[in-house]
Amino acid sequence: MSPGSAGPDGPAESPVLVTARRARAAATELAPLPRTVRDGALLAIADALVARAGEIVEANVRDVERARAAGTSAAVVDRLTLTPERIAAIASDVRDIVALPDPVGEVVRGSTLPGGLELRQVRVPLGVVGIIYEARPNVTVDAAVLCLKSGNAVLLRGSSSAYASNTALVAVVRDAVAAAGLPADAVQLVPGESRESVRELMGARGLVDVLIPRGGASLIQTVVSESTVPVIETGVGNVHVYVDELADLDMAVEILVNSKAQRPSVCNAAETVLVHQGIAEAFLPRALAALTEAGVTVHGDESWQKAGAAAGVEVLPVTGEDWATEYLSHDIAAGVVPDLDAAVAHIRRWSSGHTEAIVTRDALAARRFVSLVDSAAVMVNASTRFTDGGQFGFGAEIGISTQKLHARGPMGLPELTSTKYVVTGDGHTRG
Amino acid sequence: MSPGSAGPDGPAESPVLVTARRARAAATELAPLPRTVRDGALLAIADALVARAGEIVEANVRDVERARAAGTSAAVVDRLTLTPERIAAIASDVRDIVALPDPVGEVVRGSTLPGGLELRQVRVPLGVVGIIYEARPNVTVDAAVLCLKSGNAVLLRGSSSAYASNTALVAVVRDAVAAAGLPADAVQLVPGESRESVRELMGARGLVDVLIPRGGASLIQTVVSESTVPVIETGVGNVHVYVDELADLDMAVEILVNSKAQRPSVCNAAETVLVHQGIAEAFLPRALAALTEAGVTVHGDESWQKAGAAAGVEVLPVTGEDWATEYLSHDIAAGVVPDLDAAVAHIRRWSSGHTEAIVTRDALAARRFVSLVDSAAVMVNASTRFTDGGQFGFGAEIGISTQKLHARGPMGLPELTSTKYVVTGDGHTRG
């Protein structure tokens, strides 16, 4: 079926729906294939990426030039840039994913029922997974490979700023997939660079099984509120570090600085620090010194401002806006709270449900914090930066879910599957 | 906060949003409570239902009289009716649920990471669960108790035809819950009998964690397409029985009749039978005789019509409409297919993804059918009527999910939970 031609159920379909229908057909072919076949295709992708690095870089140069001409920041241009070395690294990541355990076919639950029926709950692919993501072209390969490994067809909707790179990458991937005997339509770029193509994808319920938006808060908000296709919300991290009354001061400073400044641009970086008033006097000066040294600007409440004045460090006044903000920069909102429950209440009000940390020596305080905080990950005496599929030992991650349904926290391969009950009898009927 | 008063974030809130906000607060209180406290409340509910059966029946009589006056069918009136015996049975079901394993706190996954961080993935309640359901008032207690058992607050939106009964039941449940030391707002009836209250519930994203519609296809369709709160689609069952070329004829007839006629009004009853052409000549006459004896009207293709004419049984002509219909009555659509793959293609096109069955002696055919059919449950030589939380040994069920995200098939207590990662270190930071 060519783009724009009539689908089986009606008049002319949009190119996006045609693509989705092809993905559905490919998913049907893909689901029953054994691991060896899928893994063979993934290895072929890794080889092809290295072999055809030249044409990928050539396409990427066009995106990079366009971005530079548009005055894009150097950091973003860097994230967009592909070199032969970076492509080799992507290929190496693909090989690592091949080695991961196959989630498909895992028997999650099994029993023989009292009447003799044999019940098995078996992992199966979700079917068609749609990924909507921003600038980085390495996500194109990563998402495609994770979906194929878990038996899914994937629809990739990257940003228009990486369109040439993504087109080249997907062409390489599709060729390799087809050569390995899998349907090429298991990996497709969603046609069109406009917002309209995202809207059509969000309306393709029945053809697309799940949409995973990866990117900024506004993209995710749009998809969550407008999609009729089920969505997994990912990646918005308004992350808190709470320093308890009985915290080890050195440890608290180290965890705070690491959580905030080790890589401020990512979702598991801290955005707010809350300090128990009983330790504030001792902690604030040391925290201010360490944060300042790490290049962090503090947006603080009165206590933090006083401590700043005393230390000769500028502390900007914090606002409600600050508590709500995922800075993704060298900024942090900072407050002092009367007790642990006040910290929890603050977190419940402002957190995006990604990750929060407590630093404390008090086992009961740690237990209470873990129990009351309603987020995907809760760290006790550890940096918030550990919320990550790689760090958690999952080998790979398609995103970090901040919702409670289906998957919560870093999503690895099992989170890209559903299950099916298989019930076997020898003529069983219900009385 | 009284209905209609100002919420923390804006002007006057609707009664539905006020209710949802109270549920959120109750969920926060509920989540950290240990099993013994929750179970105590459930036992108190069971006792209170029996003790206060009189006032429940009194309220129910008003609904029943209203239904009779409106000319409601005897079957529906019967489903609406509560008697002291039926209330005792509901109370007994509550006690059975108390005895089930507690899903909350279960460690789903755990490991010590290479750097020494201790990782645990722990089951936690979803939070606030909204259930939208139709006539039967026993669902009110059932849903409330399953949600409480799994640590969730529940918002109940029953049908207006059971409003008096539901109001009485929820009053009894809330009193018992409060007396046991839990927040009464953990169980609330959504105020208002209009469609508008459903609409507001569907928009309460952030206050309500999941909506589970239980009822007819049109209710479920509305919720799925309009809700910004995540939805679990349940219960629409366009269920197929495929009789393979190598089926045991007696077994096939028994499974077909049981699947269709043992209780036609429920979602796991069969709605279509597909027969391999190689066995059609032998099977159709016997199937027609058995279906007719069970009071079933067949809507058949040409082969079935011919077989009907030969047997002197009226077979109505089948239409596309029939293939799509969940009759929930003594009707069945019937076709002959050239082979197993054609049966699978038919099922993929028309099924709602609930349950399909194959009857066959051929192990390879069974394996292929199980592998290719994309439904929540696949039966091999067993009646479709077995797709049920009770039959599967889950002890209870909040619904049967026909979607792939979060839960698929009968949903027991674990499906009413999410998880949280708890990561414990002694000062771990990322290098």
Side-chain angles (χ1 to χ4, degrees):
Chain A
M1 206 181 341
S2 64
S5 73
D9 295 317
E13 272 191 329
S14 77
V16 173
L17 289 185
V18 169
T19 305
R21 201 173 291 284
R22 284 175 175 162
R24 164 66 54 216
T28 304
E29 276 188 67
L30 211 56
L33 295 177
R35 169 172 186 169
T36 46
V37 177
R38 280 178 280 129
D39 282 359
L42 298 188
L43 291 172
I45 291 171
D47 292 343
L49 286 169
V50 173
R52 293 169 66 179
E55 64 188 270
I56 296 168
V57 169
E58 210 177 284
N60 180 251
V61 165
R62 293 205 297 278
D63 286 332
V64 168
E65 280 171 358
R66 203 154 42 116
R68 283 220 182 90
T72 308
S73 76
V76 172
V77 169
D78 180 61
R79 285 166 63 185
L80 179 61
T81 303
L82 291 173
T83 61
E85 293 69 33
R86 286 184 178 186
I87 292 169
I90 293 172
S92 160
D93 288 346
V94 173
R95 287 183 226 277
D96 289 345
I97 290 172
V98 176
L100 292 175
D102 185 10
V104 179
E106 186 198 343
V107 178
V108 176
R109 175 150 57 173
S111 62
T112 303
L113 300 175
L117 275 178
E118 291 165 19
L119 178 73
R120 280 180 303 142
Q121 185 182 19
V122 183
R123 273 201 197 286
V124 296
L126 281 168
V128 177
V129 178
I131 319 261
I132 304 173
Y133 56 103
E134 290 174 349
R136 291 184 300 167
N138 62 312
V139 173
T140 305
V141 176
D142 207 40
V145 165
L146 287 170
C147 286
L148 286 175
K149 174 78 185 176
S150 49
N152 296 291
V154 65
L155 291 172
L156 298 159
R157 207 293 180 180
S159 73
S160 53
S161 63
Y163 198 73
S165 314
N166 289 338
T167 303
L169 286 166
V170 168
V172 171
V173 168
R174 283 170 58 92
D175 288 352
V177 163
L182 265 60
D185 286 341
V187 180
Q188 293 178 90
L189 212 57
V190 174
E193 299 184 51
S194 71
R195 281 265 157 182
E196 186 54 27
S197 69
V198 175
R199 198 152 291 123
E200 288 185 34
L201 201 56
M202 295 191 295
R205 191 177 176 95
L207 293 178
V208 181
D209 292 294
V210 61
L211 278 183
I212 305 177
R214 289 177 59 162
S218 90
L219 164 71
I220 290 166
Q221 206 37 55
T222 303
V223 177
V224 159
S225 54
E226 293 183 17
S227 180
T228 60
V229 172
V231 174
I232 298 181
E233 220 177 315
T234 70
V236 175
N238 190 8
V239 166
H240 297 72
V241 173
Y242 166 60
V243 179
D244 189 44
E245 185 168 21
L246 297 186
D248 178 291
L249 282 177
D250 291 334
M251 187 188 290
V253 169
E254 269 180 52
I255 286 175
L256 172 60
V257 171
N258 188 261
S259 297
K260 174 69 254 181
Q262 197 248 351
R263 198 168 163 207
S265 64
V266 293
C267 61
N268 58 19
E271 306 293 7
T272 293
V273 55
L274 301 171
V275 180
H276 191 292
Q277 64 179 8
I279 202 176
E281 202 180 329
F283 180 72
L284 266 49
R286 296 179 60 173
L288 275 173
L291 288 168
T292 304
E293 196 191 316
V296 176
T297 302
V298 176
H299 306 247
D301 65 4
E302 250 177 65
S303 304
W304 281 86
Q305 288 174 49
K306 268 189 206 156
V313 173
E314 190 184 20
V315 172
L316 302 175
V318 72
T319 64
E321 182 87 6
D322 285 302
W323 300 131
T325 299
E326 188 188 14
Y327 295 113
L328 300 172
S329 64
H330 281 84
D331 292 81
I332 194 163
V336 170
V337 290
D339 55 24
L340 184 145
D341 283 11
V344 168
H346 180 108
I347 289 167
R348 281 194 169 266
R349 168 135 196 221
W350 299 106
S351 169
S352 61
H354 188 297
T355 300
E356 334 295 340
I358 181 172
V359 186
T360 188
R361 204 176 255 293
D362 179 348
L364 298 183
R367 185 180 150 106
R368 185 166 177 83
F369 188 84
V370 164
S371 160
L372 295 182
V373 163
D374 191 23
S375 297
V378 186
M379 302 286 161
V380 178
N381 295 325
S383 169
T384 60
R385 291 274 297 114
F386 285 106
T387 303
D388 174 277
Q391 294 294 322
F392 279 10
F394 303 167
E397 128 190 335
I398 191 87
I400 295 176
S401 164
T402 53
Q403 68 179 36
K404 295 188 194 170
L405 232 53
H406 185 72
R408 197 178 194 199
M411 296 172 61
L413 290 170
E415 284 73 22
L416 286 171
T417 64
S418 181
T419 61
K420 182 196 278 187
Y421 285 103
V422 180
V423 186
T424 309
D426 55 3
H428 287 71
T429 54
R430 243 180 107 171
Chain B
M1 208 179 345
S2 63
S5 75
D9 293 318
E13 272 191 327
S14 76
V16 172
L17 289 184
V18 169
T19 306
R21 201 171 291 283
R22 284 177 177 162
R24 166 64 57 215
T28 305
E29 276 188 68
L30 212 56
L33 295 178
R35 170 174 185 170
T36 46
V37 176
R38 280 178 280 129
D39 282 358
L42 299 187
L43 291 172
I45 291 170
D47 292 344
L49 286 168
V50 173
R52 294 169 64 179
E55 65 188 271
I56 296 166
V57 169
E58 212 176 283
N60 179 252
V61 165
R62 294 204 297 278
D63 286 334
V64 168
E65 280 172 359
R66 205 155 42 117
R68 284 220 181 91
T72 309
S73 77
V76 172
V77 169
D78 180 60
R79 284 166 62 186
L80 180 61
T81 303
L82 291 173
T83 61
E85 293 70 34
R86 286 185 178 183
I87 293 168
I90 293 172
S92 161
D93 288 346
V94 173
R95 288 183 227 277
D96 289 346
I97 290 171
V98 175
L100 292 174
D102 185 10
V104 179
E106 186 198 342
V107 178
V108 176
R109 173 153 54 174
S111 63
T112 302
L113 301 175
L117 275 178
E118 291 165 19
L119 177 73
R120 281 180 302 142
Q121 186 183 20
V122 183
R123 274 202 194 287
V124 296
L126 282 169
V128 177
V129 178
I131 320 260
I132 303 173
Y133 56 104
E134 289 172 350
R136 292 184 299 167
N138 62 310
V139 173
T140 305
V141 176
D142 209 38
V145 165
L146 287 168
C147 287
L148 285 175
K149 174 79 185 174
S150 50
N152 296 291
V154 65
L155 291 172
L156 298 158
R157 208 294 181 178
S159 72
S160 53
S161 63
Y163 198 72
S165 315
N166 288 339
T167 303
L169 286 166
V170 168
V172 170
V173 168
R174 284 171 57 92
D175 288 351
V177 163
L182 266 62
D185 286 342
V187 180
Q188 293 178 91
L189 212 56
V190 174
E193 301 182 50
S194 70
R195 281 265 158 184
E196 186 53 29
S197 68
V198 175
R199 197 152 292 123
E200 288 184 34
L201 202 55
M202 295 190 296
R205 192 177 176 96
L207 293 177
V208 181
D209 292 294
V210 60
L211 278 183
I212 306 177
R214 291 178 56 164
S218 90
L219 165 70
I220 290 164
Q221 207 36 59
T222 302
V223 177
V224 159
S225 55
E226 295 185 15
S227 181
T228 60
V229 173
V231 174
I232 299 181
E233 222 178 314
T234 70
V236 175
N238 190 10
V239 167
H240 297 73
V241 173
Y242 166 61
V243 179
D244 189 45
E245 185 168 21
L246 297 185
D248 177 291
L249 282 178
D250 291 334
M251 188 188 289
V253 170
E254 269 180 53
I255 286 175
L256 172 59
V257 172
N258 189 261
S259 297
K260 174 69 251 183
Q262 197 248 351
R263 196 168 165 208
S265 64
V266 293
C267 62
N268 58 18
E271 307 293 6
T272 294
V273 55
L274 301 170
V275 180
H276 191 292
Q277 64 180 7
I279 201 177
E281 203 179 330
F283 180 72
L284 266 48
R286 296 181 58 175
L288 276 173
L291 288 168
T292 305
E293 197 192 314
V296 175
T297 301
V298 175
H299 306 247
D301 65 3
E302 248 177 66
S303 303
W304 281 86
Q305 288 174 50
K306 269 189 204 155
V313 173
E314 190 185 18
V315 171
L316 302 175
V318 73
T319 64
E321 182 87 8
D322 286 302
W323 299 131
T325 299
E326 188 189 13
Y327 294 114
L328 299 172
S329 64
H330 281 84
D331 291 81
I332 194 163
V336 169
V337 291
D339 55 23
L340 184 145
D341 283 10
V344 168
H346 180 108
I347 289 167
R348 281 193 169 267
R349 168 134 195 222
W350 298 106
S351 169
S352 61
H354 187 297
T355 300
E356 332 295 340
I358 181 172
V359 187
T360 188
R361 204 175 256 292
D362 179 347
L364 298 184
R367 185 181 150 106
R368 186 165 175 82
F369 188 83
V370 164
S371 160
L372 294 182
V373 163
D374 190 23
S375 297
V378 186
M379 303 285 162
V380 178
N381 295 324
S383 168
T384 60
R385 291 274 296 112
F386 284 107
T387 304
D388 173 277
Q391 295 293 321
F392 278 12
F394 302 168
E397 131 190 333
I398 191 87
I400 295 176
S401 165
T402 54
Q403 69 179 35
K404 293 189 194 167
L405 231 54
H406 184 72
R408 198 179 195 200
M411 297 170 61
L413 290 170
E415 283 74 22
L416 285 171
T417 65
S418 180
T419 61
K420 180 197 277 186
Y421 284 102
V422 180
V423 186
T424 308
D426 55 3
H428 287 70
T429 54
R430 244 179 110 170

